[in-house]
Amino acid sequence: MALFKSKFLDYYLDLGENPIVPPMRNTGTAAGTKAVSKKELSTVKKHRLHGIAYIPNLVEKDIMGHAQQIAKKKKLDTGDDSTKMWLAHVDPKYTTAHTFLPPVINSEQDSRDWFNTVLARPALSALHYCKDKNTVSTGKDPLAITPYLASSSGEKGVIPDGILVKGEWTVFKKKGKTMLTIEMKTPNALGNTFDKLLRKRYKSGKAVVVPFVWPKKEDSTVDAVTRILTQVWAQLMANNADCAMLSTYDQTIHVYRNSKDRDNILYMSRAIALDKNSLRRTFAWMTLAFGDTELPKDRAFSVPEVDKHCLTLFREGREGQYDPGPIYSLDEVPLDESRRLV
């Protein structure tokens, strides 16, 4: 008889002090980002992104702490055979060392493999353990388990690299609601693309929203920041989701939109380098996206209060005077007139 041993779920959400990060093959490998698609360009005006709010600790502020409290209360019988098999898909000592992952990044697919194996699927397994009342999912129809991770069908014309879906998909039930979208890039493609955008801009203690002008059909070229933001926002809108992750595996930006807010603001965390808490953050963000958690209602996630004064250009119909993309401020308050078209 196996000796009963128990450990709390949170123990297995720790990647350790030095998580493995595979290098890019060279500095020029997979360094591009795709152009804005016709479907993204054709997004109707009322559904277009209007501004970006940089909230550095977006995921840590409340959600990660609350999710960690949940995980610290969940006990696992590590002597049980089914739990041992389950842990092979969750425990970092297995997910990073015995999965034959590529030792070098040649393409976006390699980054996606690392992200799914080390972060996304273990976080999903932890979410299931909490959702299924502290039990390991066994004996169930594998095609009827929810939530699940999948690629996008492309039916909506906007295709994220991954989606977290809530709802069963069987011969009799073909329903599913996308709760979270995932957009992957290689480290070379993302690099320091968002360094200028992800800077603290405050007025009266509130983060100032940076206006964003949606690309037009006649725009021949747009910069990488604009391409990626257009892509991520269009994916959220097409799937009617509020949560997203933009990741290279070695760094991740957590993204949120408030679907009840008509101002069309994208809230973005800082670009967080892979560290011991990356799996905890992924678990926390999936928990938020899934929505079926044990968080007390009065401590649920609330959208940070931000300064929206720069969004007046949309209410006044002046956005056409600017190039597509973020309109950066000079002194954290006025619009940058240097971006105005001549």
Side-chain angles (χ1 to χ4, degrees):
M1 180 180 294
L3 179 66
F4 178 87
K5 297 179 181 178
S6 65
K7 288 187 178 179
F8 292 100
L9 176 61
D10 184 66
Y11 172 85
Y12 297 102
L13 301 181
D14 190 327
L15 289 183
E17 293 300 329
N18 297 294
I20 299 172
V21 178
M24 291 293 305
R25 177 166 292 278
N26 57 57
T27 57
T29 300
T33 58
K34 80 176 191 69
V36 180
S37 70
K38 290 182 179 180
K39 187 68 175 179
E40 292 162 354
L41 287 172
S42 64
T43 301
V44 297
K45 193 170 183 179
K46 68 177 181 180
H47 292 159
R48 294 174 183 172
L49 174 62
H50 284 171
I52 303 97
Y54 174 48
I55 312 295
N57 62 342
L58 182 66
V59 63
E60 291 101 339
K61 185 175 183 292
D62 294 310
I63 293 301
M64 192 173 87
H66 295 334
Q68 192 169 3
Q69 288 177 21
I70 294 173
K72 283 183 176 179
K73 296 176 182 177
K74 305 296 182 182
K75 277 189 176 182
L76 289 155
D77 174 7
T78 57
D80 177 70
D81 287 342
S82 61
T83 302
K84 289 178 181 178
M85 290 187 289
W86 182 83
L87 283 174
H89 301 283
V90 180
D91 191 339
K93 71 182 179 184
Y94 299 121
T95 60
T96 60
H98 299 283
T99 48
F100 307 103
L101 288 165
V104 64
I105 303 298
N106 295 305
S107 68
E108 190 177 286
Q109 180 63 53
D110 292 334
S111 293
R112 188 181 305 137
D113 287 344
W114 275 90
F115 176 85
N116 283 335
T117 302
V118 180
L119 297 177
R121 297 200 180 282
L124 177 61
S125 296
L127 174 58
H128 271 281
Y129 186 76
C130 295
K131 182 183 76 71
D132 295 340
K133 299 180 180 179
N134 310 346
T135 58
V136 174
S137 297
T138 57
K140 294 184 178 181
D141 178 357
L143 299 182
I145 293 176
T146 181
Y148 59 89
L149 284 166
S151 59
S152 176
S153 67
E155 293 177 349
K156 299 173 182 177
V158 178
I159 309 173
D161 291 311
I163 52 176
L164 176 69
V165 183
K166 182 177 184 179
E168 294 183 4
W169 181 276
T170 67
V171 174
F172 306 103
K173 293 182 180 180
K174 295 186 177 180
K175 296 181 180 180
K177 168 72 173 69
T178 297
M179 310 305 293
L180 177 145
T181 62
I182 300 169
E183 180 59 31
M184 296 299 304
K185 304 294 179 188
T186 67
N188 281 350
L190 193 62
N192 60 359
T193 299
F194 285 95
D195 281 4
K196 186 175 182 180
L197 179 62
L198 301 184
R199 292 180 183 176
K200 292 181 179 179
R201 297 170 171 86
Y202 288 99
K203 182 182 180 183
S204 302
K206 299 177 184 177
V208 175
V209 175
V210 176
F212 181 88
V213 177
W214 196 260
K216 304 181 182 68
K217 290 183 179 180
E218 61 266 26
D219 294 328
S220 58
T221 60
V222 293
D223 62 19
V225 172
T226 305
R227 292 197 298 271
I228 295 172
L229 289 176
T230 301
Q231 193 177 18
V232 171
W233 179 264
Q235 291 168 4
L236 285 170
M237 293 300 296
N239 289 281
N240 194 26
D242 284 354
C243 295
M245 297 178 73
L246 172 61
S247 183
T248 62
Y249 170 68
D250 72 334
Q251 67 172 340
T252 299
I253 299 172
H254 297 82
V255 181
Y256 184 84
R257 80 170 180 112
N258 181 6
S259 53
K260 298 178 181 179
D261 186 355
R262 299 295 180 87
D263 285 319
N264 293 1
I265 296 171
L266 198 64
Y267 298 85
M268 300 181 70
S269 76
R270 71 188 190 282
I272 308 174
L274 188 74
D275 64 14
K276 63 179 294 181
N277 289 316
S278 292
L279 179 51
R280 289 191 178 103
R281 293 188 193 92
T282 307
F283 166 66
W285 207 239
M286 282 188 177
T287 300
L288 171 66
F290 183 66
D292 186 10
T293 72
E294 300 174 27
L295 300 183
K297 291 183 179 179
D298 61 340
R299 298 177 68 183
F301 177 75
S302 58
V303 179
E305 190 174 357
V306 294
D307 186 288
K308 304 177 183 179
H309 79 279
C310 289
L311 297 185
T312 55
L313 86 160
F314 295 102
R315 290 189 284 272
E316 297 171 0
R318 295 186 289 112
E319 66 271 22
Q321 301 174 17
Y322 293 87
D323 289 327
I327 304 175
Y328 300 103
S329 58
L330 292 174
D331 60 359
E332 317 310 339
V333 180
L335 299 178
D336 182 355
E337 295 297 322
S338 67
R339 285 290 307 281
R340 187 181 290 274
L341 294 172
V342 177

